[in-house]
Amino acid sequence: MNPILYIVIPCFNEEEVLDETARRILVLLDRMESEGLIAAGSRMLPVDDGSRDRTWQIIERLHAADPRVGGVKLAANSGHQNALLAGLLTASDKADIMVSIDADLQDDAEVIPDMVRKYHEGNDIVYGVRRSRQTDNWFKRTTATLFYRFMQALGAKTIYNHADYRLMSRRAVRQLANYRERNLFLRGLVPLLGYRSDVVYYDRARRFAGTSKYPLGKMLNFALDGITSFSIRPLRLLFHLGLFFILIALCILVWVLYKYITGDVVTGWSSLILSIWFVGGCVLTGLGITGEYVGKIYMEVKDRPRYNIELTLE
Ligand code: UDP
Ligand code: MG
């Protein structure tokens, strides 16, 4: 039997793009249905992530015009990752498979049929992977590459050049819900599920309207979350650094004793003051990193709900 597909689209102030996005997605749904890839009842599910513009009104209008447009409205802006999870979990009540894609369709929606085909071949997860980053500027390209490399080095399983454009089966989404952390970094979690997966390649386009909802600050925070949510290696590094410092201190001690024995004692004010500052700086950095984890424990222990659905359109 053909699967019911829900296309989940997180939207934050996307009034400029939503109409065009819905038009393209609905055409795509039609085509996949007539090609026998998906069942009737497949839909698109925009999630309004507490937008301050007319995004929700547009979703309501689209829903009234076509029952294949659903809608989830979050009561407040909860961030891309949480909005995505809210959409996926809502969709998993009805859908057999879910594709998540950004509202601006920068990730080429035309490869969704390929994703569905890979699902038919027995994959539970299909990752959309960017073939090139030519449309991103130099800065975004370099920082992104550095980030993926760094994550790899820290031992977190992420798919190179894959953002949150992917297909997941219902059981994969249900299993994802069991990862009960607040600092959501979905592209790190999904590979941990361990289900059979494959990739499809696509070219990333420019945003066709509107501006990026991911300014530099948000992007950096997201990267930092990704790193500290998935790796405790920085803590271990701190430990090793500590041992190394003790070793240096022992060497200095030997040197000082030697100087003392040879009678050459009134030296080293500058080296002393330098060491104090240097070690102090290292201790502070260490405290900062530790604090990052303590902060995370604090947030997890509170076990707050990750989102709050105000209403859904059936
Ligand atoms: N988004 C969201 N909540 C936020 C920020 C962004 O739901 O707080 C959505 C946004 O509407 C878009 C997707 O996340 O569908 C990716 O954002 P954007 O395209 O602005 O990021 P970029 O492509 O520039 O990295
Ligand atoms: Mg975008």
Side-chain angles (χ1 to χ4, degrees):
M1 218 181 72
N2 281 336
I4 292 182
L5 165 70
Y6 270 44
I7 298 181
V8 177
I9 309 174
C11 305
F12 178 56
N13 296 342
E14 296 287 10
E15 61 180 9
E16 286 133 304
V17 302
L18 214 48
D19 278 302
E20 174 64 12
T21 300
R23 194 187 63 75
R24 291 195 205 174
I25 293 289
L26 290 173
V27 169
L28 195 66
L29 284 176
D30 271 339
R31 211 175 73 213
M32 285 192 283
E33 204 185 314
S34 63
E35 282 174 16
L37 281 174
I38 56 172
S42 295
R43 308 172 81 194
M44 60 174 271
L45 187 71
V47 181
D48 176 11
D49 183 17
S51 296
R52 286 179 283 270
D53 64 0
R54 295 180 46 256
T55 298
W56 182 247
Q57 282 89 305
I58 294 173
I59 294 173
E60 281 181 321
R61 171 163 55 66
L62 290 167
H63 171 70
D66 192 327
R68 288 177 305 162
V69 182
V72 173
K73 179 174 164 56
L74 302 187
N77 181 240
S78 316
H80 175 230
Q81 300 286 296
N82 290 317
L84 196 53
L85 190 71
L88 288 173
L89 292 180
T90 308
S92 70
D93 290 338
K94 300 272 167 57
D96 301 308
I97 50 177
M98 282 135 265
V99 168
S100 48
I101 189 166
D102 289 351
D104 52 22
L105 298 187
Q106 278 186 286
D107 307 309
D108 185 9
E110 294 301 316
V111 302
I112 293 178
D114 296 335
M115 290 183 164
V116 177
R117 274 184 211 108
K118 301 244 172 183
Y119 167 78
H120 283 285
E121 287 165 15
N123 295 291
D124 273 88
I125 300 162
V126 184
Y127 300 101
V129 175
R130 273 174 225 183
R131 204 176 281 128
S132 72
R133 279 180 171 268
Q134 291 317 314
T135 52
D136 285 343
N137 60 33
W138 176 86
F139 181 74
K140 186 141 186 174
R141 239 175 18 233
T142 331
T143 49
T145 310
L146 275 177
F147 175 68
Y148 285 109
R149 294 262 160 79
F150 192 52
M151 287 294 283
Q152 215 78 39
L154 288 175
K157 272 195 195 171
T158 46
I159 310 287
Y160 186 68
N161 262 349
H162 158 72
D164 284 303
Y165 181 30
R166 71 177 85 80
L167 176 145
M168 292 177 80
S169 67
R170 179 194 286 150
R171 66 170 186 170
V173 170
R174 289 274 158 84
Q175 182 56 22
L176 185 67
N178 292 332
Y179 287 75
R180 305 221 38 88
E181 58 206 73
R182 306 301 108 179
N183 292 290
L184 258 195
F185 189 69
L186 291 173
R187 65 190 81 162
L189 284 181
V190 176
L192 295 180
L193 300 178
Y195 287 126
R196 194 176 141 183
S197 64
D198 205 338
V199 298
V200 297
Y201 293 94
Y202 67 92
D203 292 310
R204 186 163 158 98
R206 275 178 218 283
R207 225 176 208 280
F208 63 83
T211 51
S212 175
K213 309 300 180 284
Y214 258 108
L216 183 65
K218 250 190 194 174
M219 218 171 74
L220 284 178
N221 274 330
F222 187 51
L224 206 64
D225 263 350
I227 291 161
T228 49
S229 303
F230 279 88
S231 176
I232 55 160
R233 287 205 191 163
L235 278 176
R236 192 157 305 154
L237 198 74
L238 210 63
F239 178 66
H240 288 188
L241 206 67
L243 289 184
F244 181 64
F245 273 37
I246 292 168
L247 200 72
I248 291 180
L250 282 176
C251 295
I252 293 175
L253 187 71
V254 170
W255 182 67
V256 166
L257 282 177
Y258 169 77
K259 286 283 180 187
Y260 182 73
I261 288 163
T262 54
D264 180 19
V265 272
V266 204
T267 48
W269 181 85
S270 53
S271 62
L272 187 72
I273 208 78
L274 255 172
S275 335
I276 288 172
W277 279 94
F278 183 60
V279 173
C282 292
V283 169
L284 276 180
T285 317
L287 272 178
I289 296 175
T290 315
E292 175 76 17
Y293 286 94
V294 174
K296 284 217 149 74
I297 293 169
Y298 174 62
M299 293 307 287
E300 299 292 340
V301 163
K302 280 204 272 202
D303 206 29
R304 284 178 181 164
R306 280 172 285 195
Y307 52 82
N308 172 12
I309 293 179
E310 200 168 278
L311 68 135
T312 57
L313 300 177
E314 288 304 325

mmCIF file of all heavy atoms in Angstrom, residues 143-164:
data_model
loop_
_atom_site.group_PDB
_atom_site.id
_atom_site.type_symbol
_atom_site.label_atom_id
_atom_site.label_comp_id
_atom_site.label_asym_id
_atom_site.label_seq_id
_atom_site.Cartn_x
_atom_site.Cartn_y
_atom_site.Cartn_z
ATOM 1 N N THR A 143 32.366 28.579 7.380
ATOM 2 C CA THR A 143 31.992 28.264 8.763
ATOM 3 C C THR A 143 31.239 26.944 8.816
ATOM 4 O O THR A 143 31.460 26.143 9.725
ATOM 5 C CB THR A 143 31.129 29.378 9.383
ATOM 6 O OG1 THR A 143 30.069 29.700 8.475
ATOM 7 C CG2 THR A 143 31.937 30.608 9.689
ATOM 8 N N ALA A 144 30.382 26.699 7.835
ATOM 9 C CA ALA A 144 29.621 25.453 7.837
ATOM 10 C C ALA A 144 30.557 24.257 7.711
ATOM 11 O O ALA A 144 30.442 23.279 8.456
ATOM 12 C CB ALA A 144 28.593 25.457 6.712
ATOM 13 N N THR A 145 31.511 24.350 6.779
ATOM 14 C CA THR A 145 32.449 23.243 6.593
ATOM 15 C C THR A 145 33.247 22.998 7.867
ATOM 16 O O THR A 145 33.399 21.862 8.308
ATOM 17 C CB THR A 145 33.426 23.554 5.430
ATOM 18 O OG1 THR A 145 32.648 23.959 4.311
ATOM 19 C CG2 THR A 145 34.238 22.350 5.063
ATOM 20 N N LEU A 146 33.750 24.086 8.467
ATOM 21 C CA LEU A 146 34.512 23.968 9.706
ATOM 22 C C LEU A 146 33.675 23.275 10.776
ATOM 23 O O LEU A 146 34.154 22.400 11.496
ATOM 24 C CB LEU A 146 34.914 25.358 10.222
ATOM 25 C CG LEU A 146 36.188 25.928 9.633
ATOM 26 C CD1 LEU A 146 36.431 27.332 10.184
ATOM 27 C CD2 LEU A 146 37.374 25.025 9.983
ATOM 28 N N PHE A 147 32.414 23.675 10.858
ATOM 29 C CA PHE A 147 31.526 23.122 11.870
ATOM 30 C C PHE A 147 31.353 21.610 11.696
ATOM 31 O O PHE A 147 31.495 20.848 12.657
ATOM 32 C CB PHE A 147 30.168 23.826 11.804
ATOM 33 C CG PHE A 147 29.154 23.233 12.736
ATOM 34 C CD1 PHE A 147 29.304 23.350 14.103
ATOM 35 C CD2 PHE A 147 28.067 22.528 12.244
ATOM 36 C CE1 PHE A 147 28.383 22.798 14.969
ATOM 37 C CE2 PHE A 147 27.145 21.964 13.094
ATOM 38 C CZ PHE A 147 27.298 22.102 14.462
ATOM 39 N N TYR A 148 31.090 21.174 10.466
ATOM 40 C CA TYR A 148 30.913 19.733 10.227
ATOM 41 C C TYR A 148 32.181 18.968 10.583
ATOM 42 O O TYR A 148 32.144 17.905 11.189
ATOM 43 C CB TYR A 148 30.532 19.471 8.775
ATOM 44 C CG TYR A 148 29.104 19.812 8.457
ATOM 45 C CD1 TYR A 148 28.775 20.903 7.682
ATOM 46 C CD2 TYR A 148 28.057 19.017 8.948
ATOM 47 C CE1 TYR A 148 27.456 21.215 7.383
ATOM 48 C CE2 TYR A 148 26.744 19.324 8.658
ATOM 49 C CZ TYR A 148 26.448 20.424 7.879
ATOM 50 O OH TYR A 148 25.147 20.733 7.590
ATOM 51 N N ARG A 149 33.341 19.528 10.191
ATOM 52 C CA ARG A 149 34.617 18.883 10.494
ATOM 53 C C ARG A 149 34.799 18.759 12.007
ATOM 54 O O ARG A 149 35.201 17.725 12.513
ATOM 55 C CB ARG A 149 35.782 19.717 9.946
ATOM 56 C CG ARG A 149 35.833 19.796 8.463
ATOM 57 C CD ARG A 149 36.837 18.788 7.883
ATOM 58 N NE ARG A 149 36.537 18.542 6.477
ATOM 59 C CZ ARG A 149 36.885 19.361 5.492
ATOM 60 N NH1 ARG A 149 37.575 20.438 5.750
ATOM 61 N NH2 ARG A 149 36.578 19.065 4.248
ATOM 62 N N PHE A 150 34.506 19.859 12.701
ATOM 63 C CA PHE A 150 34.689 19.908 14.143
ATOM 64 C C PHE A 150 33.788 18.875 14.825
ATOM 65 O O PHE A 150 34.228 18.134 15.701
ATOM 66 C CB PHE A 150 34.366 21.320 14.639
ATOM 67 C CG PHE A 150 34.795 21.577 16.055
ATOM 68 C CD1 PHE A 150 36.087 21.306 16.460
ATOM 69 C CD2 PHE A 150 33.908 22.100 16.979
ATOM 70 C CE1 PHE A 150 36.495 21.542 17.768
ATOM 71 C CE2 PHE A 150 34.300 22.337 18.286
ATOM 72 C CZ PHE A 150 35.597 22.054 18.674
ATOM 73 N N MET A 151 32.524 18.807 14.413
ATOM 74 C CA MET A 151 31.586 17.834 14.968
ATOM 75 C C MET A 151 32.113 16.417 14.768
ATOM 76 O O MET A 151 32.046 15.579 15.655
ATOM 77 C CB MET A 151 30.210 17.958 14.296
ATOM 78 C CG MET A 151 29.416 19.165 14.697
ATOM 79 S SD MET A 151 28.918 19.167 16.426
ATOM 80 C CE MET A 151 27.554 18.011 16.402
ATOM 81 N N GLN A 152 32.659 16.186 13.582
ATOM 82 C CA GLN A 152 33.211 14.870 13.249
ATOM 83 C C GLN A 152 34.357 14.537 14.205
ATOM 84 O O GLN A 152 34.415 13.460 14.773
ATOM 85 C CB GLN A 152 33.741 14.915 11.807
ATOM 86 C CG GLN A 152 33.567 13.617 11.054
ATOM 87 C CD GLN A 152 32.138 13.453 10.570
ATOM 88 O OE1 GLN A 152 31.540 14.423 10.150
ATOM 89 N NE2 GLN A 152 31.597 12.254 10.639
ATOM 90 N N ALA A 153 35.243 15.539 14.395
ATOM 91 C CA ALA A 153 36.407 15.335 15.251
ATOM 92 C C ALA A 153 35.990 15.068 16.686
ATOM 93 O O ALA A 153 36.649 14.341 17.416
ATOM 94 C CB ALA A 153 37.315 16.559 15.182
ATOM 95 N N LEU A 154 34.880 15.649 17.093
ATOM 96 C CA LEU A 154 34.417 15.461 18.466
ATOM 97 C C LEU A 154 33.649 14.149 18.627
ATOM 98 O O LEU A 154 33.207 13.803 19.708
ATOM 99 C CB LEU A 154 33.514 16.626 18.888
ATOM 100 C CG LEU A 154 34.215 17.952 19.129
ATOM 101 C CD1 LEU A 154 33.208 19.032 19.418
ATOM 102 C CD2 LEU A 154 35.194 17.832 20.287
ATOM 103 N N GLY A 155 33.450 13.466 17.525
ATOM 104 C CA GLY A 155 32.841 12.145 17.613
ATOM 105 C C GLY A 155 31.326 12.131 17.544
ATOM 106 O O GLY A 155 30.705 11.125 17.864
ATOM 107 N N ALA A 156 30.702 13.247 17.138
ATOM 108 C CA ALA A 156 29.246 13.227 16.971
ATOM 109 C C ALA A 156 28.944 12.801 15.544
ATOM 110 O O ALA A 156 29.573 13.259 14.607
ATOM 111 C CB ALA A 156 28.656 14.599 17.253
ATOM 112 N N LYS A 157 27.981 11.905 15.427
ATOM 113 C CA LYS A 157 27.637 11.391 14.093
ATOM 114 C C LYS A 157 26.748 12.398 13.384
ATOM 115 O O LYS A 157 25.566 12.463 13.646
ATOM 116 C CB LYS A 157 26.781 10.136 14.261
ATOM 117 C CG LYS A 157 27.479 8.826 14.396
ATOM 118 C CD LYS A 157 26.403 7.767 14.150
ATOM 119 C CE LYS A 157 26.820 6.396 14.592
ATOM 120 N NZ LYS A 157 25.660 5.489 14.514
ATOM 121 N N THR A 158 27.291 13.200 12.493
ATOM 122 C CA THR A 158 26.400 14.027 11.682
ATOM 123 C C THR A 158 26.661 13.714 10.218
ATOM 124 O O THR A 158 27.730 13.237 9.854
ATOM 125 C CB THR A 158 26.618 15.539 11.897
ATOM 126 O OG1 THR A 158 28.018 15.794 11.860
ATOM 127 C CG2 THR A 158 26.062 16.017 13.215
ATOM 128 N N ILE A 159 25.669 13.968 9.380
ATOM 129 C CA ILE A 159 25.815 13.726 7.948
ATOM 130 C C ILE A 159 26.356 15.010 7.334
ATOM 131 O O ILE A 159 25.768 16.071 7.493
ATOM 132 C CB ILE A 159 24.455 13.381 7.307
ATOM 133 C CG1 ILE A 159 23.745 12.285 8.094
ATOM 134 C CG2 ILE A 159 24.636 13.021 5.838
ATOM 135 C CD1 ILE A 159 24.307 10.919 7.942
ATOM 136 N N TYR A 160 27.483 14.906 6.634
ATOM 137 C CA TYR A 160 28.134 16.065 6.051
ATOM 138 C C TYR A 160 27.207 16.781 5.067
ATOM 139 O O TYR A 160 26.629 16.153 4.187
ATOM 140 C CB TYR A 160 29.426 15.623 5.363
ATOM 141 C CG TYR A 160 30.247 16.764 4.849
ATOM 142 C CD1 TYR A 160 30.861 17.633 5.745
ATOM 143 C CD2 TYR A 160 30.396 16.979 3.497
ATOM 144 C CE1 TYR A 160 31.596 18.688 5.279
ATOM 145 C CE2 TYR A 160 31.145 18.034 3.024
ATOM 146 C CZ TYR A 160 31.749 18.890 3.930
ATOM 147 O OH TYR A 160 32.480 19.942 3.471
ATOM 148 N N ASN A 161 27.080 18.096 5.231
ATOM 149 C CA ASN A 161 26.249 18.919 4.347
ATOM 150 C C ASN A 161 24.769 18.552 4.330
ATOM 151 O O ASN A 161 24.073 18.778 3.348
ATOM 152 C CB ASN A 161 26.785 18.896 2.914
ATOM 153 C CG ASN A 161 27.640 20.116 2.638
ATOM 154 O OD1 ASN A 161 27.655 21.044 3.449
ATOM 155 N ND2 ASN A 161 28.325 20.120 1.528
ATOM 156 N N HIS A 162 24.306 17.960 5.424
ATOM 157 C CA HIS A 162 22.872 17.691 5.535
ATOM 158 C C HIS A 162 22.313 18.619 6.606
ATOM 159 O O HIS A 162 22.851 18.712 7.700
ATOM 160 C CB HIS A 162 22.643 16.230 5.922
ATOM 161 C CG HIS A 162 21.301 15.996 6.553
ATOM 162 N ND1 HIS A 162 20.136 16.041 5.825
ATOM 163 C CD2 HIS A 162 20.932 15.742 7.824
ATOM 164 C CE1 HIS A 162 19.114 15.818 6.639
ATOM 165 N NE2 HIS A 162 19.574 15.636 7.851
ATOM 166 N N ALA A 163 21.238 19.350 6.266
ATOM 167 C CA ALA A 163 20.611 20.197 7.274
ATOM 168 C C ALA A 163 19.368 19.448 7.776
ATOM 169 O O ALA A 163 19.464 18.287 8.101
ATOM 170 C CB ALA A 163 20.277 21.541 6.676
ATOM 171 N N ASP A 164 18.233 20.083 7.811
ATOM 172 C CA ASP A 164 17.072 19.382 8.330
ATOM 173 C C ASP A 164 16.091 19.006 7.235
ATOM 174 O O ASP A 164 14.896 18.946 7.448
ATOM 175 C CB ASP A 164 16.401 20.211 9.424
ATOM 176 C CG ASP A 164 17.193 20.125 10.709
ATOM 177 O OD1 ASP A 164 17.403 19.011 11.192
ATOM 178 O OD2 ASP A 164 17.637 21.169 11.202
#
